[in-house]
Amino acid sequence: MPNNNNSSSTIIDNNNNNNNNNVLNNNNFESNYTIISDSKYQQYPLLKNDALDNNKNSENHAKTFTIGEETQEYNFPRWSIQNHIGKFHLLKSNDLLEQHLQALKQYEEEQANKSFIQKWIPGADFILQNCMKKDPSVHSENFVVDSSINNHSASINFGGNNDHQQHTTNIYYNNNNHNTTTINKNNEINNNLIINHEEQQLDTKNDDLYNPLVNPEPLEPKKEHLLGQLAATAICGNDITSSCLYVIGVCISYAGIWSPICLLFVSILLFLFRSIYAEVGSAITLNGASYTLLLNTTSKMTASLAACLTIISYVATAVVSGTSAIEYLKQIPGCENIPLIPGTIVLLGIFMILNLIGITESAAAAVFIFVTHILCLSILTVYGFLHISVVNQFDILVRNWNDMQSTFDAVGIAKAIFFGFGAAMLGVTGFESSANFIEQQKPGVFPKTLRNMWALVSFFNPILCFISLCALPMQTLTDPTQNASLLSLVGRVAAGKWLQILLSADAALVLSGGVLTAYVGIVGLIRQMALDRAFPSFFLKVNALRKTNHFIIITFFILCVSMVSILNGNIDSLAGVYTIAFLSVMMLFAMGDLLLKYKRSQLKRTKRAKKTVIIISIFGVLCALLSNILVNPEYLKYFAIYYSICAATVLIMFWRVKILKFIIYIVYSKLKDLKIGNFITKLLVKQAKEINAQSFIYFTKNDPISMLNKAILYVRDNELTDWLRIVHVFKTPKNEEEFLLKEQIIDRMRRDCQKLDEIYPRMRIDFIAIESENGFGPDVIRLIENRLGVRKNLMFISCPSHRFSHKVSDLGGLRIITNDFTYH
């Protein structure tokens, strides 16, 4: 294959300013797609000989409105269609790698040369760069280009904004002379021969391909210690095993003597969910549980609204765990007079401070708490059985049975079991937590954590419930002031004061750990949703000292305090809201698994759940959800209040451009003759442009134009952007036959992207073909992320088949958006 080391670029000009022989006039062509070609394209004659121009209409369109009999014309400031001209790039991964290493080296040197003020004072860089400039009209940016890279394409935005502000870019060459094309924003093009290779300046528009607005990072994946079976089980097991400390009293309040049966039904339902979670975990091994599952099987809005349920679940987790921890703490001598609501708020505040200073969960601490908690529950079980078999010889159980005989009819029993089953589902909260950190677990550990959690819940919850019915009278068991700390009372009856103190201390410790888990979980979820642009970006702000997301942590604390105050610390009301949120998440997860089978059937997986199992599971969760709503419809009102707050935030984020356009129309039509009106309009238009300026990437192997169109429709319907980059990564051809075949494929896909760019005039559609020695894989994705400045969560892919050489999790979180064409 021929190779030419001349680095001058062939360019298409819109304004017919031909100051160089290498400039092609767009009047010679008939299409609307911009091709940026250089000497490397000589390897691909089909691509070189079919240059395209960019004569999309860039005029501002006047829109006419008829109001009554008057016709008024408003020339709204619009985002120029010329900014939506697609580009074609043909690149080599080795060249991109060398450029990345140069940029990384320069970035590290800049960080090392920063002063103490720049490192530790927030906003110091902004002040030094903007407020101390001699000429604020000049914007300067630097990036490094290795002169040994002779085969790279220049990315130029032709016919850009009518902004004549000077924009200077400094390019540092290492050696050798280059022929360089200089292009200013007026499209005046001059070719100069660089004699001094030390440093030269180009008056050119900032290049969006080679100078991304992101800080370069090392491409090597960070080595992370993966969790084994014990540590992973401990982290999620602390949540689910701590639920028995408050669920038993709540369940007995509704089901009475039948509560152990209700807990056994819950165990059966949880057994069915094991296969559902295992299948999803083997197919999509990514953190995020239900949010990630629905994001890869449904629309982004559906996934985001479902994630709001998880947010409410985290809020309720922190509140219920904190309230129960204070109730158990009051059983310890010297702590009896702690007020419930202020004590809970103080506990929530303590963990807020811990999270603000960066103290989060530790696997070693989780293992210690887990082992201690299981040991305490085991001691209670042993002493409880000894007490009821030796001391009272089941006398209290018989008495409780007799007290319930008045309800021993078919309707009464069915009603007790139905409402008790709904309350007992609170005992499996935390089962979904293992899926939230599945990426940090060793291969094969996730199904084992599901098995271990199911075994612990199936053993301790019914057994301890039965011991409680044998140790305490029904009046005590159903007393709202006692059932929140029920197991400590059982321990006192079974073994004495020492066991009550031990169980109370253990309960306060493990439930406090549940509060910490809720903080850690909410930070991870909100961060991910903010990165996905489903929540405001200010949630991503970190404080300069501890690098923690203070806005997320403080907002979560405020929500928790409000829930404690509104519900007055009532454990039954809190548990009702908690259960509704948790059950909704579980039901959506099961529905997501059905969608996974239907829409992503070819995705590689090692576990499969039967459809009948999924349907039975959905029906069981639906019954439990209905039970909690019917037992007290007031719970649904409180749940709706908090859910509406989260959902409204998500909907505003999705509709914010439409909202801005409406405000622009109102302001411009009413205040267009005033300076303040023009100022506000320009400010709002700029904000709308910035929202839509984020580019997205869709990876394609050999998709037909129908699949590319499907991907564009998905992006247009789910994301706020007018810029999509279609990227094709291909292996370096080994022979002439492969070379010609690949040339034809790239040419066909480039033509398809050109057609799509014309079909969607207000959307810029780029096509980037990247030649890589190893083809498509995690290494190339990391390189593209750094060079193009697009995060992995903003990259999309069609559903890979079971023959695809990589797992979806290996790709770093690429979103699956289509299904009709597969990677092999």
Side-chain angles (χ1 to χ4, degrees):
M1 293 180 286
N3 188 14
N4 192 330
N5 292 332
N6 181 15
S7 62
S8 63
S9 298
T10 303
I11 303 170
I12 301 169
D13 182 25
N14 282 328
N15 293 348
N16 302 329
N17 296 323
N18 296 349
N19 299 328
N20 185 273
N21 294 330
N22 287 339
V23 178
L24 302 179
N25 191 301
N26 63 11
N27 294 328
N28 297 327
F29 305 101
E30 300 178 357
S31 352
N32 298 333
Y33 204 65
T34 301
I35 182 170
I36 309 302
S37 61
D38 64 4
S39 58
K40 183 174 60 176
Y41 294 165
Q42 294 179 9
Q43 303 177 25
Y44 297 89
L46 286 176
L47 306 180
K48 178 184 177 183
N49 296 333
D50 192 16
L52 301 168
D53 76 341
N54 58 348
N55 60 359
K56 281 189 178 178
N57 183 13
S58 62
E59 297 179 358
N60 288 338
H61 295 268
K63 190 168 185 178
T64 302
F65 299 90
T66 302
I67 305 175
E69 296 182 355
E70 295 183 3
T71 299
Q72 300 183 11
E73 185 177 273
Y74 297 108
N75 289 312
F76 287 105
R78 293 176 177 273
W79 178 254
S80 174
I81 299 179
Q82 199 158 8
N83 290 311
H84 298 161
I85 297 171
K87 298 180 182 179
F88 169 53
H89 305 273
L90 184 60
L91 312 171
K92 285 187 176 182
S93 62
N94 290 337
D95 298 344
L96 294 177
L97 179 60
E98 292 187 36
Q99 295 167 19
H100 169 73
L101 295 177
Q102 290 276 359
L104 180 62
K105 181 179 179 181
Q106 183 183 20
Y107 175 74
E108 291 175 347
E109 291 176 354
E110 291 175 354
Q111 296 300 310
N113 294 332
K114 276 189 174 182
S115 65
F116 177 83
I117 295 177
Q118 289 175 301
K119 288 182 179 180
W120 293 103
I121 298 181
D125 285 335
F126 177 82
I127 296 172
L128 294 175
Q129 292 176 7
N130 293 277
C131 299
M132 301 180 65
K133 283 184 179 179
K134 295 181 180 179
D135 184 4
S137 65
V138 178
H139 177 64
S140 177
E141 293 180 5
N142 301 327
F143 66 102
V144 177
V145 177
D146 190 344
S147 63
S148 63
I149 304 172
N150 295 319
N151 295 328
H152 69 273
S153 64
S155 171
I156 303 171
N157 186 6
F158 297 96
N161 299 336
N162 295 324
D163 183 5
H164 299 282
Q165 176 184 354
Q166 182 181 359
H167 185 105
T168 303
T169 303
N170 299 327
I171 302 182
Y172 302 95
Y173 291 94
N174 292 334
N175 49 32
N176 296 337
N177 296 337
H178 288 259
N179 289 331
T180 305
T181 303
T182 301
I183 307 158
N184 59 25
K185 285 197 170 186
N186 296 326
N187 293 330
E188 297 172 354
I189 303 178
N190 297 296
N191 235 21
N192 300 314
L193 180 66
I194 295 181
I195 304 300
N196 183 1
H197 58 269
E198 294 282 334
E199 177 179 338
Q200 295 293 336
Q201 291 188 346
L202 297 177
D203 292 333
T204 179
K205 185 175 177 64
N206 185 26
D207 188 275
D208 52 29
L209 180 65
Y210 289 96
N211 194 23
L213 299 178
V214 294
N215 295 328
E217 297 178 353
L219 297 179
E220 295 78 12
K222 297 179 181 179
K223 293 184 178 180
E224 190 173 10
H225 175 69
L226 298 180
L227 301 173
Q229 182 179 171
L230 177 60
T233 303
I235 292 174
C236 54
N238 283 331
D239 281 346
I240 197 167
T241 56
S242 65
S243 62
C244 68
L245 296 169
Y246 48 81
V247 73
I248 292 176
V250 175
C251 183
I252 293 176
S253 299
Y254 292 108
I257 203 73
W258 310 107
S259 52
I261 297 177
C262 298
L263 292 167
L264 286 175
F265 283 159
V266 170
S267 175
I268 295 172
L269 181 60
L270 198 63
F271 178 81
L272 300 180
F273 266 96
R274 277 180 54 189
S275 60
I276 296 174
Y277 275 85
E279 179 180 11
V280 174
S282 65
I284 305 177
T285 314
L286 297 171
N287 295 344
S290 58
Y291 174 68
T292 301
L293 171 61
L294 295 174
L295 194 63
N296 285 276
T297 54
T298 63
S299 67
K300 181 180 175 181
M301 180 176 289
T302 301
S304 300
L305 292 176
C308 293
L309 296 172
T310 306
I311 294 173
I312 305 304
S313 179
Y314 278 128
V315 173
T317 297
V319 172
V320 172
S321 297
T323 305
S324 299
I326 297 299
E327 289 284 4
Y328 275 98
L329 191 64
K330 292 169 66 176
Q331 303 298 318
I332 299 177
C335 303
E336 298 90 344
N337 297 324
I338 296 178
L340 178 60
I341 296 178
T344 303
I345 294 175
V346 169
L347 182 64
L348 293 169
I350 290 173
F351 283 102
M352 177 191 70
I353 295 172
L354 291 177
N355 277 268
L356 285 174
I357 63 178
I359 298 178
T360 57
E361 284 186 309
S362 166
V367 170
F368 171 77
I369 295 173
F370 177 72
V371 172
T372 302
H373 181 55
I374 296 300
L375 181 62
C376 291
L377 294 181
S378 301
I379 293 174
L380 176 60
T381 302
V382 172
Y383 274 92
F385 270 116
L386 290 176
H387 174 75
I388 63 177
S389 60
V390 176
V391 179
N392 67 19
Q393 298 181 351
F394 300 97
D395 290 339
I396 296 179
L397 178 63
V398 173
R399 192 184 311 161
N400 290 335
W401 178 274
N402 293 330
D403 291 341
M404 296 288 294
Q405 281 187 353
S406 59
T407 61
F408 283 5
D409 58 274
V411 176
I413 294 174
K415 184 178 178 181
I417 293 177
F418 177 72
F419 289 112
F421 172 73
M425 285 298 295
L426 187 63
V428 296
T429 52
F431 187 75
E432 81 288 355
S433 59
S434 182
N436 287 325
F437 61 96
I438 188 173
E439 294 181 55
Q440 283 70 47
Q441 301 178 30
K442 292 180 179 179
V445 167
F446 178 65
K448 295 178 181 177
T449 62
L450 299 176
R451 177 202 62 196
N452 296 341
M453 286 190 290
W454 171 78
L456 290 170
V457 168
S458 301
F459 176 76
F460 281 113
N461 285 15
I463 292 296
L464 292 177
C465 182
F466 178 75
I467 293 174
S468 300
L469 289 170
C470 296
L472 296 175
M474 191 62 67
Q475 292 80 4
T476 303
L477 294 171
T478 56
D479 186 358
T481 61
Q482 300 290 338
N483 57 19
S485 57
L486 185 63
L487 290 188
S488 65
L489 299 178
V490 175
R492 180 172 184 174
V493 172
K497 189 70 173 179
W498 68 272
L499 186 54
Q500 180 186 18
I501 296 174
L502 177 63
L503 289 172
S504 298
D506 168 67
L509 179 63
V510 72
L511 289 169
S512 299
V515 177
L516 180 60
T517 301
Y519 270 102
V520 175
I522 198 68
V523 169
L525 178 60
I526 298 297
R527 269 187 56 84
Q528 185 59 49
M529 294 183 69
L531 288 171
D532 290 339
R533 310 176 84 196
F535 268 123
S537 59
F538 71 82
F539 282 123
L540 297 174
K541 299 289 185 181
V542 295
N543 61 73
L545 296 178
R546 304 301 302 174
K547 307 300 181 183
T548 55
N549 301 99
H550 48 278
F551 283 121
I552 301 177
I553 297 170
I554 295 173
T555 302
F556 182 70
F557 171 74
I558 294 172
L559 287 175
C560 292
V561 170
S562 66
M563 183 176 284
V564 173
S565 303
I566 291 174
L567 298 180
N568 201 28
N570 185 284
I571 190 66
D572 289 337
S573 301
L574 294 170
V577 174
Y578 187 10
T579 308
I580 292 174
F582 168 72
L583 292 177
S584 301
V585 172
M586 287 194 72
M587 186 167 63
L588 287 175
F589 198 94
M591 291 179 176
D593 193 20
L594 278 179
L595 292 173
L596 189 71
K597 289 179 176 294
Y598 173 69
K599 302 180 70 174
R600 308 289 182 253
S601 58
Q602 71 271 36
L603 199 62
K604 186 189 303 183
R605 68 199 76 183
T606 57
K607 305 284 185 180
R608 290 186 180 271
K610 295 181 179 180
K611 294 180 182 178
T612 53
V613 169
I614 300 176
I615 294 173
I616 293 173
S617 300
I618 293 175
F619 178 75
V621 173
L622 190 61
C623 289
L625 186 60
L626 184 62
S627 169
N628 281 272
I629 294 174
L630 292 178
V631 74
N632 194 337
E634 196 78 4
Y635 300 161
L636 188 61
K637 182 183 74 173
Y638 296 126
F639 168 80
I641 291 173
Y642 285 92
Y643 181 78
S644 61
I645 295 173
C646 298
T649 305
V650 169
L651 293 176
I652 290 173
M653 290 298 296
F654 274 90
W655 297 337
R656 63 187 186 274
V657 172
K658 294 181 180 179
I659 295 173
L660 284 173
K661 288 181 179 180
F662 177 75
I663 297 174
I664 290 170
Y665 168 70
I666 298 297
V667 172
Y668 193 80
S669 61
K670 302 297 182 183
L671 304 175
K672 64 177 181 178
D673 296 329
L674 302 177
K675 290 185 178 181
I676 186 65
N678 292 328
F679 173 78
I680 296 174
T681 301
K682 290 181 180 180
L683 185 65
L684 294 175
V685 170
K686 180 182 178 182
Q687 182 64 30
K689 288 180 181 179
E690 290 177 353
I691 294 173
N692 283 332
Q694 174 64 55
S695 65
F696 290 76
I697 288 178
Y698 174 69
F699 288 103
T700 174
K701 181 181 180 182
N702 190 14
D703 292 8
I705 191 171
S706 60
M707 285 301 303
L708 297 178
N709 183 61
K710 190 175 180 180
I712 293 171
L713 290 175
Y714 175 90
V715 173
R716 192 178 67 171
D717 294 340
N718 290 271
E719 303 293 346
L720 296 176
T721 184
D722 50 21
W723 186 6
L724 177 63
R725 292 165 163 175
I726 297 176
V727 178
H728 172 66
V729 181
F730 62 96
K731 282 188 177 181
T732 304
K734 298 179 181 179
N735 51 53
E736 189 68 21
E737 182 180 357
E738 290 184 5
F739 176 80
L740 294 175
L741 178 62
K742 182 54 63 177
E743 183 186 33
Q744 293 174 359
I745 292 174
I746 295 176
D747 183 61
R748 190 263 301 167
M749 297 183 70
R750 189 259 305 163
R751 291 176 182 271
D752 289 344
C753 291
Q754 171 204 341
K755 295 176 184 176
L756 293 169
D757 192 58
E758 295 171 356
I759 292 172
Y760 300 97
R762 296 194 177 277
M763 194 169 186
R764 172 179 168 182
I765 301 173
D766 293 352
F767 176 57
I768 304 175
I770 300 178
E771 179 182 330
S772 173
E773 294 180 359
N774 299 321
F776 181 72
D779 295 337
V780 175
I781 293 173
R782 285 193 292 269
L783 180 60
I784 292 173
E785 180 185 29
N786 275 271
R787 296 310 302 149
L788 270 65
V790 180
R791 297 186 301 270
K792 293 177 185 175
N793 61 301
L794 304 181
M795 299 179 182
F796 309 139
I797 190 176
S798 60
C799 184
S801 70
H802 63 278
R803 290 176 290 177
F804 186 49
S805 57
H806 301 282
K807 295 181 63 177
V808 174
S809 58
D810 296 336
L811 305 181
L814 270 63
R815 192 189 311 174
I816 302 172
I817 63 172
T818 61
N819 192 50
D820 296 336
F821 198 83
T822 60
Y823 274 83
H824 300 296

